[in-house]
Amino acid sequence: MMDGVELKPIVESLLFASERPLTIRRMAEILDGSTPTEVERAMATLMDEYRSDGRGIELVEVAGGYQLRTRPEYAPWVGKMHGDKSFRMSRPALESLAVIAYRQPVTRAEIEEIRGVDVSGVVHLLLDRGLIKVRGRKEVPGRPFLYGTTAKFLETFGLKNLSELPSPKEWQELNE
Amino acid sequence: MSYQISLPIYEGSLNLLVDQVKENRIDPLAIPIASIIDQFLVYLRMVEAMSLEAAGDFMLDAATLIYIKSRSLLPKPPEEAFEEEPEARLARCLAEYRKVTEVVEELARQNILGRDVFCRAVTPHDGEPSEVREADLFLLARSFYDVMRSLGPEPLLELDREEIDLDERMEEVRRRLTEGGGVPFEALLVVPYSRLHVIVTLLALLELVRLQDVTLMQVEAMGPILISLRGDS
């Protein structure tokens, strides 16, 4: 239908207007009549263009989709504009999040076993921030909730998917 | 003197039998528990005035035997899935925790959205405290506790107990809030007053919440609790 040249500005406008990462499939749905392959090609062209020098934003693949983001080197200025609202997370919360990310689905007791402290507070905080969610219940006495990470977690930490988590190799060794 | 029993495989005191089983010298599966109980009941009938102590000893020994035997009758759990040694478990948890700390460093080094990189509409617009949520009860309780603690111990010299009127405090809270919404919870309570004063103020505040006169809100999770009159935010 539409060739890559025509598709590109539409794809760019969609990415610009979207608050969450956009999947190829979703874009193909919106661009009625274009195949995912065509969208992907347009995306690749666009990505190259953003990669060139002198741009403040870049097009990144994250959380199973694509998103326009400011480049990390300009964080001081964008951060200043946002004032006090920038991302912050305490060490305990980050630790629990790391355990959940690698061990999911995982119960609170299992996180506590590793961290050695009560984690009910941080688990609620992570739930509130949408970084984790309840993924069901474990079929053991008490049927405790099982937690796992969300797409927002991947988005926040700039990961394409869970397999991109840092140094998972040692963890797998530990599991065996 | 321990209770004596007579079994096909053993003759002697019950106490000693338990020790033998514990030391794996006698197979627990070979001991007929029922026969031990039967012998004990016969013995009980014979001895008219059985002392509590002797009966207690017997119960302990018999119970230990039953425990050991029942355990050996149960199917073994597959491998060490359940019966992990406490030391091994601790070592494993520590090893995992060390990995966690490494991973945390890695995660913190990522380009984090809202810190190193930004996308559109992820941060609230200026001046608009978006995502104001109903404050949670536990934070309210904790804030209260913090204020109480900051007051330190009650001075020892106390003359009359002051009378603090709940309605008066409610009026006072209302008056403070009309001066401007979004008063932090602590600001309302932290006053050079007594414990009783702080407690009554909290009660007044809770009463106002109940009457739906005020709302407690948080801009962010675990953030400060802001209090405002309903209808003026």
Side-chain angles (χ1 to χ4, degrees), chain A residues 15-19 57-58 67-75 78-79 81-82 85-87 91 94-99 101-103 113-116 121 125 128-129 153 155-159 164-167 170-171 174-175, chain B residues 84 89-131 133-134 136 138 142 218-223:
Chain A
L15 288 165
F16 176 74
S18 173
E19 290 181 16
I57 48 180
E58 59 187 351
Q67 193 171 45
L68 287 173
R69 295 181 159 192
T70 62
R71 292 191 175 199
E73 52 264 46
Y74 307 119
V78 187
M81 178 179 75
H82 284 320
K85 296 167 199 153
S86 74
F87 178 92
R91 173 88 192 186
L94 211 50
E95 282 182 6
S96 294
L97 187 59
V99 176
Y102 283 99
R103 281 294 150 106
E113 190 183 22
I114 295 174
R115 289 210 41 235
L125 178 113
D128 272 351
R129 292 178 70 162
F153 164 76
E155 194 187 336
T156 303
F157 289 91
L159 307 168
E164 270 209 343
L165 280 169
S167 56
E170 289 150 314
W171 278 70
L174 213 69
N175 279 336
Chain B
E84 193 180 8
R89 200 171 117 131
L90 189 64
R92 181 177 57 83
C93 288
L94 279 174
E96 279 199 45
Y97 184 72
R98 217 171 38 238
K99 295 288 171 220
V100 169
T101 56
E102 281 170 26
V103 161
V104 164
E105 308 298 334
E106 289 292 325
L107 276 182
R109 265 199 292 276
Q110 294 285 114
N111 280 332
I112 293 176
L113 190 64
R115 188 189 72 179
D116 310 299
V117 291
F118 299 85
C119 66
R120 302 192 56 245
V122 135
T123 41
H125 301 291
D126 284 324
E128 188 186 319
S130 72
E131 286 202 53
R133 312 172 311 119
E134 295 274 319
D136 82 83
F138 294 102
R142 212 190 48 202
Q218 282 169 283
V219 177
E220 55 185 289
M222 310 306 277

Side-chain angles (χ1 to χ4, degrees), chain A residues 54-67:
Chain A
R55 304 300 299 246
I57 48 180
E58 59 187 351
L59 179 51
V60 295
E61 193 182 344
V62 70
Y66 293 84
Q67 193 171 45

